[in-house]
């Protein structure tokens, strides 16, 4: 089979990928360069030194316009600089250093201080800087004299302490102040990543960092479409608060509902087949009902049936409802984890195909792409159950539920195929089938997410909290 016989797999998530390409990943030096540019801008207008400008900008949350407006408004630049804590009130001649007794530790020797002439020995300054920078975690440091609020300039700090740990902390906090002030910058939450993500426009939310962390730019949690950041936090809190009553067992074994033989789940697919040869019953791992019901239109494994709970007490019904959504959320998470094995299996298959057929590296990529598509769907499905838990019923919630059902069925289909049919001898069929299933599952996912987004734009979602 040659590569031109085969149509290349084109992903339906192209939109997202295009967006990701415009996102920049900066390191600390890049950010410091941006800061320096702003500092020199302000330096040329205000005409005071760079250290003072840095403190000024920090005070105004790195908003140059706000800073300059405030300065012009005040009409008196000198007074503005004093009020902003960057210029000393007194106009005594500044002494670089003098001999004398330190007011703080009473030892005698060389005393140093800021332009305000509040002097102390170097040891006391060092201790003070350690306390402010390391213990208090701040980079806006006032003079040691309690009645004086003059801010220390960066060059003074570097002069008074040579401890590289303290200076590195100061540098980090200073950059962090800039990042925190910007609506376009965020630290990547990935472990030890240290990259700073810069988004091209305010709408960008999905970030896929170079360290492979996928996160929501707004809240820095794992990307959680379709549920919004606020409800997501609420959901996670509920999950951890109620973990004891939630009876979720990360079990890999359940008894076949027909013959009671224990069935082990060793992949992500929830479409189970009893391993007892006399039984071979097909059932759903989530609801334990026969799989054939899932193909019928009336049955919705993903829908919580409230009518069944009518006879129970309200507390019990609420608990059942919570368990319904929580268990499905956890179940997709478990499947996502089990499907890690599929990645290994699929890349072995890709190797094998390249060795034993005429397929090239490019030709076999459809397999790993299909596993990525599957993982995307598992994650989306997880979050749809958190979304559905808070969702109030209306016409659109019905559409949402049927989209969710379609996505779930499509996901189990591709998951089952990759788990069980990879050894198909006919490569053309394998490729065709995997591409079709991938494309379909992507379409279902997109349809669901588009509908959810439409609901946000047109305000047709109602949440109960
Ligand atoms: Zn001292
Ligand atoms: Zn002072
Ligand atoms: Zn990262
Ligand atoms: Zn978020
Ligand atoms: Zn059975
Ligand atoms: Zn089911």
């Amino acid at each position: 089979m040659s590569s031109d016989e085969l149509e290349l797999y084109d992903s339906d998530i192209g939109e997202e990928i295009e967006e990701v390409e415009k996102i920049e990943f900066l390191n600390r030096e890049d950010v410091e360069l941006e800061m320096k540019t702003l500092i020199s801008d302000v330096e040329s207008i205000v005409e005071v030194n760079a250290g003072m400008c840095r403190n000024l900008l920090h005070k105004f949350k790195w908003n140059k316009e706000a800073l300059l407006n405030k300065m012009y408004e005040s009409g008196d630049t000198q007074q503005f600089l004093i009020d902003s804590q960057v210029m000393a009130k007194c106009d005594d001649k500044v002494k670089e250093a003098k001999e004398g007794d330190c007011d703080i530790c009473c030892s005698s020797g060389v005393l140093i201080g800021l332009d305000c002439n509040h002097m102390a020995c170097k040891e006391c300054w060092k201790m003070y800087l350690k306390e402010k920078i390391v213990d208090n975690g701040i980079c806006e440091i006032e003079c040691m004299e309690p009645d004086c609020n003059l801010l220390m300039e960066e060059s003074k700090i570097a002069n008074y302490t040579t401890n590289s740990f303290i200076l590195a902390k100061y540098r980090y906090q200073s950059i962090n102040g800039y990042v925190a002030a910007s609506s376009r910058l965020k630290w990547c939450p990935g472990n030890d990543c240290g990259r700073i993500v810069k988004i091209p426009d305010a709408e960008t939310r999905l970030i896929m960092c170079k360290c492979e962390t996928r996160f929501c730019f707004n809240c820095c949690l794992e990307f959680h479409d379709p549920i919004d950041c606020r409800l997501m936090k609420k959901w996670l809190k509920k999950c951890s608060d109620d973990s004891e009553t939630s009876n979720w067992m990360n079990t890999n074994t359940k008894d076949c509902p027909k013959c009671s033989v224990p069935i082990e789940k060793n992949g992500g697919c929830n479409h189970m087949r009893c391993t007892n040869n006399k039984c071979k019953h097909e059932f759903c791992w989530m609801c334990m009902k026969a799989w054939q019901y899932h193909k019928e239109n009336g049955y919705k494994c993903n829908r919580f049936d409230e009518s069944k709970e009518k006879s129970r007490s309200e507390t019990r019904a609420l608990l059942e409802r919570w368990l319904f959504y929580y268990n499905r959320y956890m179940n997709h998470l478990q499947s996502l984890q089990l499907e890690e094995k599929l990645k290994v299996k699929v890349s072995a298959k890709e190797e094998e195909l390249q060795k034993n057929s005429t397929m090239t590296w490019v030709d076999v990529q459809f397999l790993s792409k299909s596993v990525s598509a599957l993982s995307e769907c598992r994650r989306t499905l997880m979050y749809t159950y958190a979304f559905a838990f808070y969702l109030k019923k209306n016409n659109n919630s019905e559409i949402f539920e049927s989209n969710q059902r379609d996505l779930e069925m499509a996901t189990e289909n591709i998951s089952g195929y990759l788990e069980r049919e990879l050894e198909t001898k006919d490569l053309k069929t394998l490729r065709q089938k995997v591409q079709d299933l991938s494309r379909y599952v992507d379409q279902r996912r997109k349809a669901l997410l588009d509908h959810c987004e439409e609901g946000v734009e047109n305000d047709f979602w109602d949440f109960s909290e």
Side-chain angles (χ1 to χ4, degrees):
M1 179 159 40
S2 74
S3 62
D4 47 8
E5 273 175 58
L6 302 155
E7 192 191 323
L8 268 178
Y9 170 64
D10 60 326
S11 162
D12 285 306
I13 52 170
E15 240 173 77
E16 282 176 6
I17 287 167
E18 203 180 297
E19 211 168 81
V20 169
E21 277 171 357
K22 289 184 284 178
I23 296 168
E24 291 175 72
F25 296 94
L26 311 178
N27 58 30
R28 293 177 188 202
E29 287 75 19
D30 299 327
V31 173
E32 278 176 322
L33 217 62
E34 284 191 12
M35 293 165 79
K36 284 210 175 93
T37 311
L38 258 179
I39 292 170
S40 339
D41 277 3
V42 171
E43 211 181 334
S44 65
I45 300 168
V46 185
E47 295 178 322
V48 289
N49 73 44
M52 289 161 91
C53 291
R54 168 186 285 266
N55 285 339
L56 265 181
L57 276 162
H58 183 86
K59 200 159 211 52
F60 283 87
K61 299 201 180 314
W62 294 88
N63 183 336
K64 190 178 91 183
E65 280 68 39
L67 186 168
L68 295 177
N69 283 343
K70 195 84 187 170
M71 186 178 87
Y72 295 137
E73 238 171 60
S74 80
D76 179 346
T77 306
Q78 182 117 350
Q79 193 55 47
F80 167 75
L81 294 171
I82 292 170
D83 292 345
S84 303
Q85 301 173 249
V86 297
M87 190 177 264
K89 280 175 205 156
C90 63
D91 33 30
D92 292 3
K93 192 176 170 290
V94 178
K95 298 172 193 76
E96 271 304 305
K98 65 174 188 187
E99 290 283 328
D101 294 339
C102 173
D103 283 344
I104 296 162
C105 67
C106 304
S107 70
S108 51
V110 180
L111 302 179
I112 47 178
L114 314 182
D115 289 353
C116 52
N117 275 332
H118 296 123
M119 311 299 262
C121 74
K122 196 161 184 177
E123 271 315 301
C124 284
W125 279 110
K126 256 192 204 169
M127 301 257 288
Y128 177 71
L129 285 172
K130 182 192 165 285
E131 182 200 322
K132 291 289 164 187
I133 296 170
V134 180
D135 305 341
N136 301 356
I138 55 173
C139 63
E140 202 175 35
I141 299 155
E142 294 180 353
C143 169
M144 245 199 297
E145 170 69 36
D147 293 332
C148 176
N149 65 5
L150 183 65
L151 292 173
M152 286 183 82
E153 286 164 33
E154 190 189 16
S155 56
K156 280 267 155 127
I157 294 171
N159 225 326
Y160 290 4
T161 180
T162 44
N163 182 317
S164 58
F165 175 71
I166 298 177
L167 290 174
K169 270 245 158 191
Y170 173 77
R171 185 183 161 215
Y172 167 77
Q173 272 141 215
S174 182
I175 295 171
N176 194 37
Y178 180 79
V179 172
S182 165
S183 58
R184 296 279 160 90
L185 297 175
K186 280 268 162 70
W187 293 95
C188 167
N191 276 344
D192 298 323
C193 172
R195 287 185 186 82
I196 297 140
V197 178
K198 186 177 190 180
I199 51 165
D201 54 70
E203 280 73 50
T204 305
R205 280 190 45 235
L206 168 61
I207 309 294
M208 286 195 253
C209 184
K210 291 185 173 160
C211 71
E212 296 192 351
T213 304
R214 273 172 104 263
F215 66 99
C216 166
F217 186 84
N218 274 347
C219 68
C220 291
L221 292 169
E222 190 192 47
F223 190 68
H224 49 73
D225 253 15
I227 190 168
D228 69 32
C229 302
R230 197 179 54 84
L231 286 178
M232 187 61 215
K233 276 194 190 126
K234 234 183 134 115
W235 170 263
L236 290 176
K237 183 163 189 312
K238 187 164 174 60
C239 289
S240 75
D241 288 353
D242 295 8
S243 60
E244 272 169 40
T245 49
S246 298
N247 80 349
W248 165 257
M249 285 176 297
N250 201 4
T251 173
N252 282 341
T253 325
K254 287 181 184 175
D255 293 347
C256 167
K258 204 168 178 187
C259 71
S260 300
V261 162
I263 308 294
E264 198 192 341
K265 185 178 196 266
N266 40 30
C269 183
N270 294 298
H271 175 183
M272 307 305 294
R273 271 164 211 179
C274 178
T275 44
N276 174 0
N277 273 334
K278 285 184 207 126
C279 173
K280 289 185 178 166
H281 178 56
E282 293 184 30
F283 64 97
C284 166
W285 182 261
M286 279 196 261
C287 67
M288 299 301 282
K289 294 232 165 67
W291 190 256
Q292 74 199 59
Y293 289 136
H294 293 70
K295 295 181 191 156
E296 288 165 12
N297 261 336
Y299 185 72
K300 281 185 181 170
C301 174
N302 62 324
R303 166 186 276 169
F304 179 68
D305 186 357
E306 260 151 31
S307 63
K308 256 186 14 199
E309 304 300 325
K310 285 267 159 61
S311 55
R312 308 205 204 212
S313 75
E314 202 188 333
T315 337
R316 186 69 212 171
L318 281 175
L319 178 65
E320 287 299 327
R321 187 175 181 279
W322 156 249
L323 290 178
F324 180 89
Y325 291 106
Y326 180 71
N327 284 328
R328 275 164 173 73
Y329 170 84
M330 290 304 284
N331 196 80
H332 283 298
L333 177 62
Q334 184 196 40
S335 288
L336 184 67
Q337 287 157 355
L338 289 169
E339 274 153 7
E340 280 298 308
K341 285 191 224 159
L342 203 54
K343 281 187 191 158
V344 180
K345 208 172 124 185
V346 152
S347 72
K349 183 71 187 173
E350 286 179 344
E351 296 272 321
E352 183 207 309
L353 286 177
Q354 287 176 75
K355 220 181 271 170
N356 302 334
S357 77
T358 57
M359 287 174 118
T360 65
W361 183 84
V362 174
D363 296 334
V364 299
Q365 289 308 300
F366 72 96
L367 279 173
S368 39
K369 277 186 180 162
S370 69
V371 180
S372 306
L374 171 60
S375 306
E376 286 295 330
C377 292
R378 285 284 176 216
R379 285 196 201 94
T380 303
L381 280 169
M382 264 175 77
Y383 296 121
T384 59
Y385 283 106
F387 181 84
F389 175 71
Y390 293 109
L391 191 61
K392 276 192 194 162
K393 289 213 174 304
N394 62 25
N395 289 344
N396 277 299
S397 76
E398 303 263 325
I399 299 173
F400 167 79
E401 276 181 342
S402 72
N403 283 339
Q404 187 188 35
R405 174 186 190 262
D406 289 349
L407 175 60
E408 201 158 62
M409 289 299 280
T411 303
E412 299 309 344
N413 279 346
I414 189 170
S415 170
Y417 192 86
L418 292 171
E419 260 169 42
R420 291 185 278 260
E421 315 289 338
L422 268 191
E423 293 318 312
T424 309
K425 287 281 168 289
D426 179 358
L427 292 186
K428 201 165 178 178
T429 308
L430 174 74
R431 179 161 183 153
Q432 195 57 54
K433 187 78 185 164
V434 169
Q435 286 185 333
D436 288 349
L437 289 169
S438 288
R439 212 171 275 140
Y440 183 67
V441 86
D442 270 347
Q443 279 165 10
R444 295 323 312 160
R445 179 170 166 269
K446 192 169 187 306
L448 179 140
L449 292 176
D450 285 351
H451 179 240
C452 289
E453 204 180 307
E454 193 193 323
V456 173
E457 275 158 22
N458 300 316
D459 206 20
F460 60 56
W461 299 128
D462 241 340
F463 298 108
S464 58
E465 295 172 44

